[in-house]
Amino acid sequence: MNKLFCITLQDALYDAFIADDRWSSYLKGMANTLVISLLAVVIGIIIGLLIAVIKNIHTNTGKLAILSKIGDFYVTIIRGIPVTVLIIFMYFGVLVFLKRIPYGSILIAAITFGLNSGAYVSEIFRGGINSVDKGQMEASRSLGIGYGKTMFKVIIPQALKNSIPPLGNEFIALIKETSIVSLVGIVDLTFAANNIANILYDFFTPLIIAGLFYLIIVIALTKLMKYVERRLSKSDKR
């Protein structure tokens, strides 16, 4: 019985991964998943950091009130809209014109997930900024250093260090969230697995293989984040 199960499993894995060079479909899907995730991370960090700084400046100085309200509105809207609804809205509506250019669909997905991630990253950065001792801002200002320069030279570098663990969790969640781009026809890992599943009439094996690819990506990212944390910890002790 066990021998028969092993043979059946081997045949299923061969058909779902090796036969007809189907492994190349998984690799293409993984490449698109990584590109979308990487671009989304960059967009999310830029948006998140910008909103966090604006809100912090408004809280401490009363300036940039309008921009702070815009940031609050953006965070509220993005948090309230499911990412599935957002990708469909952007792909078939707001950013539909981008589909006319090469890799436009990938860009639409990256922008969508970047916008979605930015709302959560802004709160992570805001928490990181608030975790820095307020005495450092006061000490820097007493030395005649301007508020903006103090923020970018003293506060933000420390806030980034404090934000590494939650940022790592956000990026891992982002990679897994990108699996929904298959809903709008973008070729990612999930889309590749579903295509192969439709050919073989076997949905179990291709999705297991896709899940293993996601697991490999997450493990690699987790190790990278731990490495960055260790390096930052060593630099603090020097």
Side-chain angles (χ1 to χ4, degrees):
M1 184 69 179
N2 290 335
K3 185 176 181 180
L4 179 61
F5 173 77
C6 290
I7 292 173
T8 304
L9 180 61
Q10 288 176 1
D11 289 342
L13 289 172
Y14 178 84
D15 290 339
F17 192 72
I18 303 297
D20 297 326
D21 292 333
R22 290 191 175 114
W23 54 269
S24 62
S25 296
Y26 292 102
L27 292 182
K28 180 182 178 181
M30 184 175 71
N32 287 341
T33 293
L34 291 174
V35 169
I36 291 170
S37 300
L38 181 60
L39 290 176
V41 164
V42 173
I43 294 170
I45 287 177
I46 293 172
I47 293 174
L49 185 58
L50 185 62
I51 292 176
V53 170
I54 288 173
K55 292 177 75 171
N56 185 267
I57 291 174
H58 174 66
T59 300
N60 292 320
T61 67
K63 298 178 180 178
L64 306 179
I66 295 177
L67 291 178
S68 180
K69 288 182 179 179
I70 292 173
D72 288 335
F73 178 76
Y74 161 78
V75 171
T76 301
I77 293 297
I78 293 298
R79 279 179 162 183
I81 299 176
V83 68
T84 304
V85 175
L86 187 61
I87 186 67
I88 293 173
F89 180 70
M90 300 295 274
Y91 190 82
F92 295 107
V94 178
L95 299 178
V96 66
F97 64 93
L98 289 178
K99 290 196 286 185
R100 301 171 185 170
I101 66 175
Y103 304 104
S105 295
I106 300 294
L107 186 58
I108 292 172
I111 293 172
T112 301
F113 284 102
L115 289 171
N116 184 71
S117 180
Y120 298 94
V121 171
S122 68
E123 293 301 297
I124 292 173
F125 279 144
R126 194 164 68 90
I129 291 172
N130 291 336
S131 69
V132 178
D133 189 351
K134 293 182 178 180
Q136 297 197 37
M137 171 64 77
E138 295 170 358
S140 180
R141 295 301 302 277
S142 67
L143 294 174
I145 302 175
Y147 186 91
K149 192 171 184 179
T150 300
M151 280 293 297
F152 287 96
K153 294 288 186 179
V154 179
I155 306 300
I156 288 179
Q158 296 180 72
L160 290 175
K161 289 182 182 180
N162 297 338
S163 302
I164 291 296
L167 280 176
N169 292 332
E170 170 62 22
F171 297 158
I172 288 172
L174 175 62
I175 289 172
K176 293 186 289 185
E177 283 178 354
T178 60
S179 62
I180 67 168
V181 298
S182 60
L183 292 174
V184 293
I186 298 175
V187 180
D188 72 326
L189 265 173
T190 303
F191 187 92
N194 283 330
N195 269 353
I196 294 170
N198 288 326
I199 294 170
L200 300 177
Y201 297 102
D202 171 18
F203 286 86
F204 182 79
T205 310
L207 289 174
I208 287 294
I209 294 173
L212 290 174
F213 273 104
Y214 280 112
L215 182 60
I216 291 170
I217 294 171
V218 168
I219 290 174
L221 180 59
T222 301
K223 289 185 178 294
L224 176 62
M225 299 304 292
K226 287 183 178 179
Y227 172 77
V228 171
E229 284 185 59
R230 287 197 301 269
R231 294 288 295 179
L232 291 175
S233 297
K234 288 180 181 179
S235 65
D236 286 341
K237 293 177 182 178
R238 293 175 183 175

